[in-house]
Amino acid sequence: MSDTSRSTRRGPAAVAGLVAAASALAVAEAAAVALSRPTSTPLLAVGDTVVDLTPLPVKQFAVDTFGTADKPALLIGTAVLLALAAALVGAAAGRRRTVGLVGIAAFAAVGLASVLTRPGSGPLDALPTLAGAAACAGVLLWLLGAASERGGSPRAADGAAPSPTPSTGDREDAPAGFDRRRFALLAGAAAAASAGTGIGARLLTASAPAAGLTPGNAVLPRPGDRAAPLPDGADLELDGLAPFFTPNADFYRIDTALSVPRVDASTWSLRVHGLGVGRERVITYAELLDRPDLRERDITLACVSNPVGGSYIGNARWIGVPLASLLAESGVRSPADGGPADQLVSRSQDGMAIGTPVADVMDGREAMLAVGMNGRPLPYEHGFPVRMVVPGLYGYVSACKWITEIELTTFDAFDAYWVPRGWSARGPVKTQSRVDTPRDGADLGRGRTTVAGVAWAQHTGVDRVEVSVDGGPWTEARLAEEDTVDTWRQWVLDWDAGPGEHRIAVRATDRDGHTQTSDQAPPAPDGATGHHTVTVTVA
Ligand SMILES: Nc1nc2c(c(=O)[nH]1)N[C@H]1C(S)=C(S)[C@@H](COP(=O)(O)O)O[C@H]1N2
Ligand SMILES: [Mo]
């Protein structure tokens, strides 16, 4: 149509593209809030989809580089790429409006595909993306119009002519009729309106009180079966040493959710079904809290992605219901007792699927459906209202947060989320130890120095921890009192530090007599190995 008669210069056209994209995100955000579907914004959904599609090495790189800031890093990266694309599409649309509209349609298609394939999404979730795309097209055409030449231009009629405005400055070639100040004003106003709308919408979602039963107002009964008091001397309380119980606020968080699910516990339920389940069962939060076998247990939770010496491990006093009893009530038998299912698949509100060996859950260990963490209802970040915790298994094969469904099946019949992504289907926690103090790279004074850390050999127990300085003989450290075989154990050793640079290595031996290997292995596919070693300089 008017494609060639209303050409717009590249610079202003790119700006128009950028502002149009910003308005798209803002309108989508506002629409998502208005529909009270805060997770249906295309940026988040695309981000979530990228997370799911990212191959393991890239994911490991992201975790190694950004740690638990990998999510903001992903969103910022996505936004930067989007801005680049928007500027390019805008510049192209300056020449041909249809290119712009096709570009917007392509982005809307990606957004729609992401939004509509997120777990639990419905047709309504398409609206924010569609509204955003409409706003984008409107703002783009409007700003391009404001920045376009109006007749009298030398290149107006002939689309095939080489551009008369190659790399010279804007000013001398500014076409007649293009009011630079007016364009700047309009673009600035549109950008400001977008920023205001987007930020306002975000603030509204962030401040909106969550409905129903929340971590703030749920009240947990005092479990009849309390955890034994922590033995004296289990927490050495040394400077620089991880405390025995990890406060909820400091507990590591690893999951694929870009926005934390905020499940209302009053409408939450858990469905238990599948192979060998006598009768399908649906359990509510109130029913869980009412159970006489509600109990309190100390369990250390570790992530398979934890590098040697890393911080993706924590220890908490959990409140929950024994998972084995619940399964037994539903008729489930362990494969060891002839049960047909060898895999328990737990699914979550946000579409995660985690596979756990039924044999492990039913072998007598304290596998739990947890509702409480260190005396409080679970925080949203750690799976409110209910999550699984299984001592001795890495989180990715056991610790489903925001759990909504348990299906009994087989490992042959189903690959859980992490398996096609390069992680082992079974993930027992490897015996490991860590030096917490002194820190790697520390500068120390000479003389008596406290070396201390934690060690874990889950469900077996730590028998011995040894330290070697500069490759010398292994010296036995003093172990703190043991809480249970399912928790980590602190250790400490006095070291007489002489001047120079020193390497301090640690290794643990479990009660089966197995000593940690010195072979270095990366986290994938089934957990890192090697001795944690810190290098310090003594003056
Ligand atoms: N729904 C859901 N549950 C999940 C995950 C997830 O991505 N989604 N990640 C698992 C992994 S890999 C680990 S290590 C633990 C971490 O639990 P935390 O974040 O409470 O420490 O949660 C597990 N449960
Ligand atoms: Mo993990």
Side-chain angles (χ1 to χ4, degrees):
M1 310 187 303
S2 57
D3 264 21
T4 48
S5 63
R6 297 183 59 203
S7 182
T8 309
R9 296 175 46 75
R10 220 173 282 153
V15 169
L18 267 177
V19 173
S23 68
L25 292 182
V27 166
E29 193 76 37
V33 170
L35 292 165
S36 50
R37 305 178 88 85
T39 54
S40 65
T41 70
L43 188 59
L44 271 183
V46 170
D48 276 324
T49 305
V50 170
V51 170
D52 287 355
L53 295 180
T54 304
L56 177 62
V58 181
K59 205 170 271 176
Q60 190 64 43
F61 166 81
V63 171
D64 290 349
T65 313
F66 303 110
T68 38
D70 56 340
K71 292 185 179 74
L74 171 76
L75 285 179
I76 291 169
T78 310
V80 168
L81 285 180
L82 190 65
L84 270 174
L88 285 174
V89 169
R95 290 295 182 80
R96 286 182 152 273
R97 301 292 193 263
T98 38
V99 175
L101 298 181
V102 168
I104 293 171
F107 274 91
V110 172
L112 281 179
S114 298
V115 161
L116 293 177
T117 53
R118 294 320 298 167
S121 69
L124 259 188
D125 290 314
L127 285 180
T129 306
L130 293 175
C136 191
V139 170
L140 182 67
L141 293 180
W142 175 59
L143 285 180
L144 287 179
S148 66
E149 312 168 2
R150 290 187 207 288
S153 155
R155 66 180 141 143
D158 187 357
S163 168
T165 58
S167 53
T168 42
D170 277 2
R171 195 165 291 273
E172 42 194 299
D173 298 295
F178 170 34
D179 184 339
R180 189 168 289 279
R181 273 183 60 197
R182 179 165 165 273
F183 173 75
L185 270 176
L186 292 179
S194 303
T197 308
I199 293 170
R202 267 290 113 180
L203 288 181
L204 263 182
T205 9
S207 64
L213 262 182
T214 71
N217 63 20
V219 177
L220 300 181
R222 196 168 209 266
D225 183 349
R226 311 286 310 266
L230 190 65
D232 283 342
D235 195 348
L236 300 172
E237 299 182 19
L238 297 172
D239 276 350
L241 172 62
F244 183 77
F245 287 115
T246 315
N248 291 357
D250 300 340
F251 210 96
Y252 80 94
R253 176 186 160 209
I254 296 281
D255 55 60
T256 59
L258 282 180
S259 66
V260 176
R262 295 180 161 234
V263 181
D264 175 357
S266 70
T267 57
W268 174 90
S269 67
L270 173 72
R271 177 172 165 235
V272 182
H273 67 112
L275 266 187
V277 175
R279 189 156 44 85
E280 177 173 329
R281 186 164 168 202
V282 175
I283 303 164
T284 66
Y285 190 63
E287 283 166 356
L288 275 186
L289 299 193
D290 266 355
R291 287 180 63 105
D293 55 359
L294 194 73
R295 58 185 56 187
E296 201 181 50
R297 290 295 182 267
D298 299 343
I299 300 169
T300 296
L301 179 61
C303 181
V304 69
S305 317
N306 197 27
V308 172
S311 58
Y312 302 151
I313 177 164
N315 181 54
R317 179 158 283 192
W318 308 90
I319 296 173
V321 165
L323 186 53
S325 319
L326 218 98
L327 293 174
E329 289 163 21
S330 302
V332 177
R333 279 173 298 134
S334 169
D337 299 322
D342 64 359
Q343 181 176 215
L344 180 157
V345 174
S346 46
R347 293 196 172 83
S348 69
Q349 181 80 14
D350 64 324
M352 175 52 60
I354 284 178
T356 312
V358 176
D360 291 348
V361 170
M362 301 192 81
D363 72 357
R365 73 183 76 193
E366 297 280 0
M368 291 183 133
L369 273 182
V371 293
M373 185 175 182
N374 292 323
R376 311 269 318 137
L378 292 176
Y380 280 129
E381 289 77 10
H382 297 290
F384 183 84
V386 183
R387 75 174 305 170
M388 267 174 56
V389 180
V390 182
L393 299 182
Y394 287 121
Y396 83 108
V397 289
S398 66
C400 189
K401 305 193 274 190
W402 315 293
I403 191 172
T404 56
E405 181 189 334
I406 286 178
E407 180 186 6
L408 278 300
T409 177
T410 64
F411 279 101
D412 279 347
F414 183 76
D415 274 345
Y417 180 88
W418 299 104
V419 177
R421 291 170 170 78
W423 299 93
S424 163
R426 292 160 202 263
V429 178
K430 293 178 179 173
T431 295
Q432 264 294 350
S433 50
R434 187 178 79 188
V435 180
D436 282 1
T437 183
R439 296 258 159 226
D440 191 36
D443 291 311
L444 307 173
R446 75 181 64 178
R448 208 181 114 160
T449 304
T450 300
V451 181
V454 286
W456 55 96
Q458 268 202 305
H459 210 54
T460 312
V462 174
D463 188 52
R464 189 169 68 219
V465 167
E466 296 159 298
V467 172
S468 160
V469 178
D470 300 328
W474 290 98
T475 309
E476 212 166 320
R478 178 168 74 82
L479 287 175
E481 286 304 308
E482 178 172 77
D483 181 16
T484 77
V485 292
D486 292 332
T487 55
W488 62 11
R489 198 163 172 187
Q490 298 179 345
W491 57 267
V492 61
L493 181 72
D494 279 338
W495 171 50
D496 187 15
E501 193 176 274
H502 299 289
R503 298 176 69 243
I504 305 171
V506 64
R507 72 177 187 192
T509 300
D510 65 26
R511 291 224 178 83
D512 289 342
H514 165 80
T515 301
Q516 258 182 265
T517 173
S518 60
D519 293 345
Q520 305 271 343
D526 61 0
T529 67
H531 299 157
H532 185 216
T533 303
V534 297
T535 303
V536 298
T537 307
V538 180

